[in-house]
Amino acid sequence: MWKYIGVLECNQFLLSLNLFKCQSKEKYLNTIYAISNNIENNYKVYKIKKRNGKYRTIYEPNSLLKEIHKQILLNILNNKSISKYAKAYHKGISLKDNAIPHVNKKIILKLDIKNFFESIRFIDIYNTCFSIEYFPKSVGMILTYLCTYEDHLTEGASVSPYISNLVMKEFDEEIGDYCNSNNIDYTRYSDDMTFSGDFNPSDIIIKVRKMLYRLGLRLNNKKTIVLTNSKQETVTGLVVNNKVQVNSKYRNKIRQEVYYIKKFGLKSHLERLNISDSDKYLNNLYGRINYVNSINKTLEFISYKEFISELIKKNK
């Protein structure tokens, strides 16, 4: 379709995408070409410490590139469907949706994809999202450059999560069909894959490893976990033995905090914790209560929400 498209037509196509607001067509095109040719100069790269003491690299695009990513996401990527097995990074789906299929199962297998975003390559992004089937080749290549850093996805760019779901769609569908035929439930939440039912975990691990290899992806063997229903089973942080709920330690911590506030008063409670910012603390506690209610709403935690909500109003 795009075989005989020239430079002029490609520029017109880029203009039609309206990737950012600019009155001058010449400036718009020059900016797009400049950014795509020097993409690394448009990111701030830094590290944040993870709970395990290791560091995660974050790639933060500058304000203009963020706007370009926003338009690509809204006007191009969101029009493409993802697999029903992908339970992250799209509207109307939550952690709870990822956990529900795995409730009360004999065996749960959890697999993790190593260096997920950084292992998703330029060519796979181009072929999946911006190929010549949909765009002139030069336009598709420019769009791919705009969405990558050193030829891979980045953690920090708004387009990366949805692109990862699109790249993984064929994998999700193939492994999902295999699981359905073997009475196994499968979901994927970003780089976390979960399988549940009555099966031999080794069979799944071997098949998944082979399929990931085709995409240039690898399993993180250190994060391979097999759980049985004789012990607590969790999926993306939620307990699924009998029903989906936040673990008891998390809920008990909230119970304790609300109890101390009611018994000793907010001021005394915060002094005991050496916390000076009461607004920040109350909003954080309110958010944690909301999280519990979003997973499994109970009268107890509804009452906590109402109590803390009133405190926030009074504190203002």
Side-chain angles (χ1 to χ4, degrees):
M1 178 179 177
W2 309 110
K3 187 175 181 180
Y4 301 106
I5 295 292
V7 174
L8 179 62
E9 290 81 6
C10 285
N11 285 342
Q12 289 298 323
F13 201 107
L14 281 170
L15 286 165
S16 72
L17 294 176
N18 196 26
L19 297 176
F20 68 96
K21 292 182 179 179
C22 184
Q23 296 298 320
S24 167
K25 293 181 180 180
E26 183 180 0
K27 184 179 179 180
Y28 172 92
L29 290 170
N30 288 340
T31 302
I32 293 296
Y33 283 116
I35 293 175
S36 62
N37 288 330
N38 300 277
I39 194 69
E40 286 80 10
N41 295 331
N42 291 273
Y43 279 89
K44 176 184 176 183
V45 183
Y46 58 93
K47 295 182 182 293
I48 59 172
K49 198 170 185 178
K50 299 192 288 186
R51 291 181 180 179
N52 61 10
K54 295 182 180 181
Y55 287 86
R56 174 181 286 111
T57 303
I58 301 297
Y59 303 82
E60 182 181 355
N62 61 29
S63 58
L64 179 55
L65 187 53
K66 281 182 181 178
E67 176 60 25
I68 291 171
H69 284 169
K70 180 181 176 182
Q71 296 307 315
I72 291 174
L73 187 61
L74 290 175
N75 300 323
I76 299 174
L77 298 176
N78 279 345
N79 296 324
K80 300 176 182 292
S81 64
I82 62 174
S83 171
K84 65 181 180 181
Y85 301 104
K87 302 298 183 181
Y89 308 138
H90 56 111
K91 291 181 180 179
I93 295 294
S94 67
L95 282 172
K96 186 175 182 179
D97 295 295
N98 185 60
I100 286 173
H102 309 293
V103 172
N104 197 25
K105 297 296 175 64
K106 184 177 180 180
I107 295 172
I108 288 180
L109 169 65
K110 299 196 285 187
L111 302 177
D112 179 86
I113 302 172
K114 192 171 185 177
N115 298 328
F116 183 47
F117 282 175
E118 292 185 11
S119 297
I120 296 179
R121 301 166 299 184
F122 182 99
I123 189 62
D124 293 318
I125 298 165
Y126 171 78
N127 287 334
T128 303
C129 305
F130 308 114
S131 72
I132 201 165
E133 181 181 355
Y134 305 103
F135 302 96
K137 185 175 181 179
S138 59
V139 173
M141 295 293 280
I142 288 171
L143 290 171
T144 308
Y145 277 118
L146 290 171
C147 294
T148 55
Y149 180 100
E150 295 182 347
D151 296 340
H152 61 74
L153 282 186
T154 66
E155 189 164 353
S158 62
V159 289
S160 294
Y162 205 83
I163 287 176
S164 72
N165 277 338
L166 292 170
V167 171
M168 292 295 291
K169 183 178 179 179
E170 187 175 335
F171 169 91
D172 287 333
E173 293 299 320
E174 187 174 340
I175 198 70
D177 288 344
Y178 171 83
C179 288
N180 283 337
S181 64
N182 288 277
N183 200 28
I184 300 168
D185 283 288
Y186 162 68
T187 61
R188 182 181 58 80
Y189 194 92
S190 185
D191 54 355
D192 294 321
M193 295 172 286
T194 306
F195 304 83
S196 64
D198 187 1
F199 57 94
N200 183 351
S202 296
D203 294 340
I204 295 291
I205 293 170
I206 291 169
K207 184 169 184 64
V208 168
R209 184 177 282 118
K210 288 180 179 178
M211 290 176 61
L212 288 177
Y213 183 77
R214 292 186 226 155
L215 290 169
L217 302 173
R218 294 180 296 156
L219 285 177
N220 186 342
N221 295 322
K222 292 180 180 179
K223 291 188 176 182
T224 295
I225 298 172
V226 179
L227 302 169
T228 63
N229 57 9
S230 61
K231 297 180 180 179
Q232 187 180 85
E233 295 178 317
T234 61
V235 174
T236 46
L238 300 175
V239 179
V240 294
N241 287 73
N242 298 306
K243 62 181 179 180
V244 179
Q245 61 181 357
V246 179
N247 70 67
S248 58
K249 183 178 180 181
Y250 191 98
R251 288 179 283 129
N252 287 338
K253 179 75 165 54
I254 293 173
R255 289 188 178 103
Q256 184 184 61
E257 291 180 63
V258 172
Y259 170 79
Y260 284 138
I261 293 171
K262 287 182 175 180
K263 183 169 183 175
F264 301 110
L266 177 63
K267 184 178 178 181
S268 177
H269 174 63
L270 294 180
E271 287 174 353
R272 176 175 167 272
L273 296 176
N274 196 28
I275 293 174
S276 58
D277 192 334
S278 58
D279 286 336
K280 185 177 179 180
Y281 170 79
L282 287 173
N283 286 324
N284 177 273
L285 180 55
Y286 185 79
R288 286 184 281 139
I289 293 169
N290 268 345
Y291 170 63
V292 173
N293 278 325
S294 72
I295 302 302
N296 185 25
K297 190 176 289 187
T298 64
L299 291 175
E300 176 190 12
F301 277 83
I302 290 172
S303 70
Y304 292 166
K305 178 181 177 180
E306 293 171 351
F307 172 67
I308 298 302
S309 179
E310 286 301 313
L311 270 184
I312 290 172
K313 291 177 183 177
K314 292 178 182 178
N315 202 52
K316 288 181 178 180

